[in-house]
Amino acid sequence: MNDKLIDAHGLSKSYSGTPALRGLDLAVPRGSICGFLGRNGAGKTTTLKLLLGMLRPDAGEIRLFGEAVDAEASSIAARRRIGFVSEDKELYPFMSVGQTIRFTRAFFPGWRRDLEEKYLELFQLPLGKAVRKLSKGMRTQLMLLLAMARGAELLMMDEPTSGLDPAMTEDILRALADLAASGGTTIFFSSHQLAEVEQICDRVCIIDEGQAVIDGELDELKSQYRRILLTFDGEPPNALAGLAGIDHLRQRGRTASLLAHGNVDAMVDRVRELKPSSIEVRSVSLKELFLDHVRGE
Amino acid sequence: MLWLKAWLEVRWRFVFLVGSILVVWLAPLWINATGVQPGVAASRQWMGLQLGSVLLYIFTAIYLAGSGINSQTMYAATTGFHGSMFFTLSLPVSRRRLLFVRTGLGALLTCILVVIMAGYILFLRPEATSAMQALVYMTRVIVCTMAVYALSVLLACVLDEMWQFMVACFFWIFVFMLQSKIEVVSRVSSLRGMSLNCYPITAPMPWTPVVASLVLTGVLLWISVLVVQRKEY
């Protein structure tokens, strides 16, 4: 048993000299639901394509299921165990729903008929309907069915809920959480929806400009990070910027906001020495963590 | 299942080509042959066949070469979407196999249509044709058409379908113009190899264009495999 289903080190990729990934390290443990967050153009889709062998890295190493993926044969072996939902949710428009399911089933000996029937019923997908006539939501549901019923150990999804209404998003998130809980499937998905990541993920990786800026268990991250709000009688002292353990500092007038991690109590003690008129320590949301790390303030 | 997918993907192109050949070319010639003075009709038919056959062989090959493994529709190509390519590439199948199936089926359907068209030419031919002459004609037409097909396969591996179609058409127009100016091109040209005008049905096998087309087909398909295996999507 491998602890990490995805284990990538130092991944770099450039497009015509423009770097998309700069030494990305990524680890997704077995059984986790990992949200992959980043701004547009941060390198999320590039990472997924590298993992699936659609792109080749300029540098770095990818291991999936404990095996190095450095050639087509190893990539094919890994893809037998992976379900993928692409960002554009495009399937074959010339096939019907039923034909698409039969087509995909043929490539996966471990196809789960029980899951196929379960999700057909849950999503109410009409077998005879042409894929080109499905709404985007239904195409997403069909792609999820194809990814989940193949008995994949790892589900990779590129913004699976983009363009869906809240009800359908909720259905899909529930199905994913259920799959991870009941089948032990590892789920790795990119998203811009921080609320849905917070809802179902137990792990997050935030990337910015091609590098991981945060990677870890969501609860652990939330417990590690604290927002320290300070008010001073005059201008906040310059010494604030030099404090160790501060990830981000924002100043506005007489107030300063620090995002701190690690030993926050020790940090608060050090801050007290700067004589603020008030100190407030708050827990942080995923949104705050995300914004503080990708805005570059 | 890849063969089924390839067939579903290309079937309407095939039907369109069959319809086009029947309606635009074969039917009028048949009607013409029964309604006009025999000598005049035969002569007109023969001119039409000579002019039209090469164009139809080329169009058939280019059109059926389709979109490589990209599964792109004309619409998708012009709008920048990638169609179902990412879904296909996420399947546990080698790119070589994807290309082989898509190209193999397209080649098979191209051959079927070429045999129908060439067979019709033999059927309408004023003079008697021996079995060997018919076989030689069919063989050279198929081999030379495959060179046209292989070029389109290669182009489809690197270009969107709309551009593949246009570049292939311009390339063969260029070859057509060049073959009347340059002796070497004229000798090896696949267009001449499939033409009734250059080599009548009674002519022996024109080995130079046939061998050149075979080599060209092999080289182009080999390059296509390399391109598809190394391409980043």
Side-chain angles (χ1 to χ4, degrees), chain A residues 42 48 63 131 145 166 209 240 268 296-297:
Chain A
L48 287 168
R63 296 182 79 82
V131 166
L145 183 152
E209 296 182 348
L240 272 178
V268 170
E297 289 176 354

Side-chain angles (χ1 to χ4, degrees), chain A residues 13 49 53-56 72 76 79-80 84 88 90-92 94-95 102-104 106-108, chain B residues 1-2 5 8-9 11 83-84 86-95 229-233:
Chain A
K13 181 70 190 171
K49 284 182 179 180
M54 294 174 194
L55 295 174
R56 274 180 296 278
E72 192 178 35
I76 291 171
R79 274 183 268 151
R80 283 200 185 94
F84 176 61
D88 55 14
E90 290 288 342
L91 289 161
Y92 306 126
F94 45 82
M95 283 189 186
R102 285 195 296 279
F103 171 79
T104 312
F107 296 96
F108 298 95
Chain B
M1 289 304 271
L2 282 176
K5 178 228 163 199
L8 293 175
E9 196 172 12
R11 64 186 161 167
S84 48
F86 293 136
F87 177 72
T88 306
L89 291 173
S90 74
L91 296 171
V93 183
S94 70
R95 293 182 182 186
Q229 283 188 320
R230 292 177 187 188
K231 190 172 178 179
E232 299 201 308
Y233 291 90

Side-chain angles (χ1 to χ4, degrees), chain A residues 222-288:
Chain A
K222 282 183 175 179
S223 68
Q224 279 177 358
Y225 283 87
R226 285 288 181 271
R227 168 84 58 208
I228 304 175
L229 299 167
L230 306 169
T231 309
F232 292 88
D233 293 333
E235 284 288 308
N238 292 334
L240 272 178
L243 289 175
I246 291 181
D247 277 40
H248 291 278
L249 166 65
R250 256 181 289 167
Q251 290 180 224
R252 186 174 294 170
R254 295 186 295 119
T255 63
S257 167
L258 316 179
L259 182 70
H261 79 275
N263 190 344
V264 177
D265 291 339
M267 171 74 60
V268 170
D269 288 341
R270 285 200 295 276
V271 166
R272 278 188 211 285
E273 292 167 11
L274 300 172
K275 312 283 187 208
S277 54
S278 73
I279 299 179
E280 188 184 346
V281 180
R282 287 185 193 166
S283 58
V284 292
S285 65
L286 180 60
K287 184 178 177 182
E288 283 177 280

Side-chain angles (χ1 to χ4, degrees), chain B residues 54-73:
Chain B
V54 173
L55 286 176
L56 273 172
Y57 296 145
I58 293 171
F59 179 73
T60 300
I62 292 175
Y63 194 50
L64 285 176
S67 54
I69 67 168
N70 294 356
S71 293
Q72 289 179 315
T73 61

